Amino acid sequence: MISKEQIKSHYDSLAPNVNEWLDKNAYFHRQLNSQLRFVVRPGSRVLALGCGAVDSLAAMQPSHGVGVDLSPALIEQARVRHPGLEFMVGDVENLELGGQFDYIILNMVVGELADVQKCFEGLRKFCTPQTRILIFYYSRLWEKPLKCAERLKLKMPSLQQNWLPPDEVVNLLELSGYQMVRVSRHVLIPKHIPLISNLVNRFLGWLPVIKHLCFTHLVVARPIGLRPADQNPSVSI
């Protein structure tokens, strides 16, 4: 099992070139941000967890945005890129911070968690009854293409992943006190091919059989059993 120190060291080493990696895969990040904006209303309180969330947090235009990552070097890069947002070093499986949020985003981070259920359970203290948890992660069908892309230096190097199918993520959420709202799949072509990528991702990726070939899963859930102490009408999905 990968240790927290290994994860921290890995992403610290990548931090000096994080802008280059983000720019190299700008099309994919735009697609991902578009899906997040479809769910997250501007002006909401957003907590973004994981190193992939630095630009996504800004794209959601939160009234109060907090980004958390285990890597101090990546947090420093995020602060430089988005000085108007709050970023802090922290372990998402043992998170300590104040406040509650309308949306909590786990962006490509669930695959590196040692204890996914513990993380989900710990996030409940940051939820109101209206909070939505959004979990974006890679499909296992793309495991070998992703490794090939890393060898060709087309993608940021990643650590060993827990390739969880959507039904297992939903099961862990339910065990942790959440109810699934919806599961969807996105992005058939993660690289920009003029005329083709947008057409395929927009229209073909929703078809019943083809959607299972998509690059990413999105699971949306809501907490259950919480007292309605904070009735925030901004969350509708």
Side-chain angles (χ1 to χ4, degrees), residues 60-78:
M60 288 180 279
Q61 302 176 9
S63 61
H64 176 56
V66 178
V68 178
D69 196 275
L70 194 62
S71 163
L74 275 180
I75 287 297
E76 185 57 36
Q77 287 288 336

Side-chain angles (χ1 to χ4, degrees), residues 36-53:
L36 290 174
R37 287 195 299 268
F38 182 77
V39 178
V40 178
R41 292 194 175 187
S44 301
R45 300 167 297 175
V46 180
L47 172 62
L49 307 177
C51 65

Side-chain angles (χ1 to χ4, degrees), residues 208-225:
V209 176
I210 296 178
K211 68 181 182 181
H212 294 283
L213 302 176
C214 282
F215 190 51
T216 60
H217 299 297
L218 171 61
V219 178
V220 182
R222 67 179 185 89
I224 56 177

Side-chain angles (χ1 to χ4, degrees), residues 114-220:
D115 191 333
V116 177
Q117 184 175 344
K118 178 182 177 182
C119 176
F120 290 164
E121 290 172 349
L123 295 178
R124 283 176 60 85
K125 60 179 172 287
F126 308 118
C127 295
T128 74
Q130 293 78 37
T131 297
R132 295 295 181 263
I133 307 290
L134 282 71
I135 304 166
F136 249 121
Y137 63 104
Y138 297 121
S139 167
R140 184 160 198 168
L141 289 175
W142 284 77
E143 180 179 4
K144 290 184 178 179
L146 283 170
K147 288 298 181 184
C148 181
E150 289 180 13
R151 288 194 292 269
L152 295 173
K153 299 187 184 302
L154 299 175
K155 175 190 173 296
M156 181 186 293
S158 61
L159 296 167
Q160 181 179 346
Q161 297 285 306
N162 299 316
W163 297 95
L164 301 176
D167 57 349
E168 189 167 341
V169 173
V170 170
N171 182 54
L172 290 170
L173 283 164
E174 291 175 347
L175 290 172
S176 305
Y178 300 87
Q179 181 182 59
M180 189 270 288
V181 174
R182 69 180 173 96
V183 176
S184 55
R185 296 168 175 85
H186 304 276
V187 189
L188 272 170
I189 302 179
K191 285 290 186 179
H192 182 245
I193 303 173
L195 301 178
I196 296 175
S197 295
N198 287 339
L199 182 65
V200 170
N201 289 328
R202 184 173 181 181
F203 296 107
L204 299 185
W206 300 97
L207 297 180
V209 176
I210 296 178
K211 68 181 182 181
H212 294 283
L213 302 176
C214 282
F215 190 51
T216 60
H217 299 297
L218 171 61
V219 178
V220 182

Side-chain angles (χ1 to χ4, degrees), residues 4 90-97 113 118-119 122 125-126:
K4 301 292 184 184
D91 179 357
V92 301
E93 294 178 64
N94 299 278
L95 195 56
E96 296 295 335
L97 71 158
L113 297 177
K118 178 182 177 182
C119 176
K125 60 179 172 287
F126 308 118

